[in-house]
């Protein structure tokens, strides 16, 4: 990644701004800063939906394909089971795990200074794709103004081997478990916005099979740039630029640097 340092001004975060947290494992800590660059890769349909509605989709955690999503370690499982046996909580481990997965909503970003060929292939899914870029600071400021109903917080994902029983930091609440993913996904360099509904009634889903939340945001505040896929045909690039103008998108629209011809 490129150089990412905060100025004194960048370190000032409003008291009511979303928490920005770094999952930690042992001594390894890689801090995010307000100017850390984030990418969200979209196909054409999702791009034009964003232009039209200015919403971010938060997927309910039990709708992710990764079976380790929200998985606890053996030690944490035993702690929850012991608390249930002592009558300290009114749900057993399996009930607790199911409740967490059905009550936490997640919006995903890729952390990188530059775009990624792997991310284009996995999440762009076609030549007609784009990436929205923002920074941690812009995302935080945007969420501060959005109506999320429950607290939203931003977490850098840590990649672990769940089966080796690593020591996970999930304080001050158990929803921090979603800031950890299995090692197989380490290439994603993911940053997540997490909304925890476990403390209240479940929000209505927006329909099957992609149950989740749609949160309206200020696109002008959120966007750093709109990047067009490196292999996009000229007509698609023209369409994206025209659409950005039509919808009043002020962020620069540019072609991926991967489209540059080598010397």
């Amino acid at each position: 990644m490129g150089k990412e340092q905060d100025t004194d001004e960048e370190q000032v975060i409003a008291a009511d701004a979303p928490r920005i947290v770094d999952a930690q494992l042992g001594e390894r800590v890689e801090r995010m800063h307000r100017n850390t660059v984030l990418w969200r890769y979209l196909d054409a349909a999702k791009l034009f939906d964003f232009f039209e509605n200015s919403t971010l989709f938060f997927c309910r955690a039990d709708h992710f394909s990764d079976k380790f999503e929200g998985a606890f370690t053996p030690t944490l499982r035993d702690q929850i089971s012991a608390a249930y046996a002592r009558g300290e909580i009114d749900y057993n481990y399996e009930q607790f795990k199911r409740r967490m997965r059905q009550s936490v909503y997640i919006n995903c970003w890729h952390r990188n200074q530059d775009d990624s060929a792997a991310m284009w292939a996995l999440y762009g899914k076609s030549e007609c794709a784009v990436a929205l870029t923002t920074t941690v600071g812009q995302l935080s400021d945007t969420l501060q103004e959005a109506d999320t109903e429950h607290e939203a917080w931003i977490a850098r994902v840590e990649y672990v081997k769940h089966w080796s029983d690593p020591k996970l930091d999930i304080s001050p609440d158990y929803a921090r478990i979603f800031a950890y993913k299995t090692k197989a996904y380490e290439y994603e360099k993911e940053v997540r916005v997490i909304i925890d509904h476990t403390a209240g009634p479940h929000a209505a889903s927006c329909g099957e099979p992609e149950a989740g939340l749609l949160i309206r945001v200020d696109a002008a505040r959120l966007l750093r740039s709109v990047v067009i896929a490196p292999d996009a045909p000229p007509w698609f690039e023209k369409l994206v630029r025209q659409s950005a103008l039509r919808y009043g998108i002020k962020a620069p629209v540019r072609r991926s640097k991967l489209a540059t011809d080598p010397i």
Side-chain angles (χ1 to χ4, degrees), residues 133-153:
T133 80
T134 188
T135 64
V136 169
Q138 285 177 273
L139 183 58
S140 175
D141 293 344
T142 301
L143 293 169
Q144 184 180 348
E145 301 298 326
D147 182 12
T148 59
E149 185 180 353
H150 292 67
E151 180 190 12
W153 44 283

Side-chain angles (χ1 to χ4, degrees), residues 230-231 256-263:
D231 297 325
S256 166
K257 293 177 181 177
L258 296 176
T260 305
D261 289 331
I263 296 176

Side-chain angles (χ1 to χ4, degrees), residues 21 36 57 71 77 80 82 119 134 138 165-166 177 179 201 217 222 227 232:
V21 302
T36 297
F57 178 68
R77 178 196 60 202
I80 294 168
M119 293 297 104
T134 188
Q138 285 177 273
D165 201 16
I177 199 68
V217 296
L222 175 68
V227 182

Side-chain angles (χ1 to χ4, degrees), residues 5-205:
Q5 295 181 338
D6 282 339
T7 64
D8 290 341
E9 180 180 356
E10 287 174 329
Q11 292 174 354
V12 177
I13 301 175
D16 58 344
R19 285 184 291 154
I20 299 175
V21 302
D22 290 277
Q24 299 182 25
L25 187 66
E27 299 300 320
R28 180 177 177 273
V29 180
E30 184 181 351
R31 296 294 184 189
M32 289 191 299
H33 303 281
R34 282 184 57 84
N35 60 344
T36 297
V37 178
L38 305 176
W39 298 68
R40 184 165 173 82
Y41 292 82
L42 307 173
D43 59 26
K46 290 180 180 177
L47 169 69
F48 296 123
D49 179 75
F50 178 79
F51 280 174
E52 176 68 28
N53 298 302
S54 295
T55 54
L56 292 177
F57 178 68
F58 287 72
C59 183
R60 203 172 76 190
D62 63 336
H63 282 256
F64 285 110
S65 59
D66 177 15
K67 67 179 181 180
F68 285 97
E69 192 66 60
F72 290 87
T73 62
T75 294
L76 291 172
R77 178 196 60 202
D78 293 346
Q79 290 174 356
I80 294 168
S81 297
Y84 174 70
R86 293 192 299 268
E88 296 173 1
I89 55 177
D90 58 0
Y91 36 76
N92 62 31
Y93 171 71
E94 289 300 327
Q95 292 170 332
F96 180 76
K97 182 179 177 181
R98 183 169 59 252
R99 178 187 178 212
M100 290 290 298
R101 286 170 57 86
Q102 292 177 347
S103 304
V104 173
Y105 299 82
I106 299 169
N107 177 255
C108 306
W109 296 78
H110 170 68
R111 174 177 51 87
N112 212 331
Q113 188 68 25
D114 300 300
D115 50 343
S116 162
M119 293 297 104
W120 283 120
L122 285 170
Y123 297 104
K125 297 182 180 179
S126 77
E127 295 177 341
C128 298
V130 303
L132 307 180
T133 80
T134 188
T135 64
V136 169
Q138 285 177 273
L139 183 58
S140 175
D141 293 344
T142 301
L143 293 169
Q144 184 180 348
E145 301 298 326
D147 182 12
T148 59
E149 185 180 353
H150 292 67
E151 180 190 12
W153 44 283
I154 302 169
R156 180 186 59 81
V157 172
E158 179 71 51
Y159 298 92
V160 302
K161 298 178 182 178
H162 290 81
W163 48 88
S164 66
D165 201 16
K167 183 178 180 181
L168 306 185
D169 175 13
I170 57 172
S171 60
D173 51 63
Y174 279 108
R176 282 284 296 272
I177 199 68
F178 292 98
Y180 296 92
K181 292 185 67 173
T182 188
K183 274 279 189 181
Y185 292 92
E186 194 166 16
Y187 65 90
E188 291 183 342
K189 299 174 67 174
E190 189 174 340
V191 169
R192 295 181 149 186
V193 184
I194 299 173
I195 299 178
D196 180 10
H197 280 203
T198 56
H202 293 182
S205 71

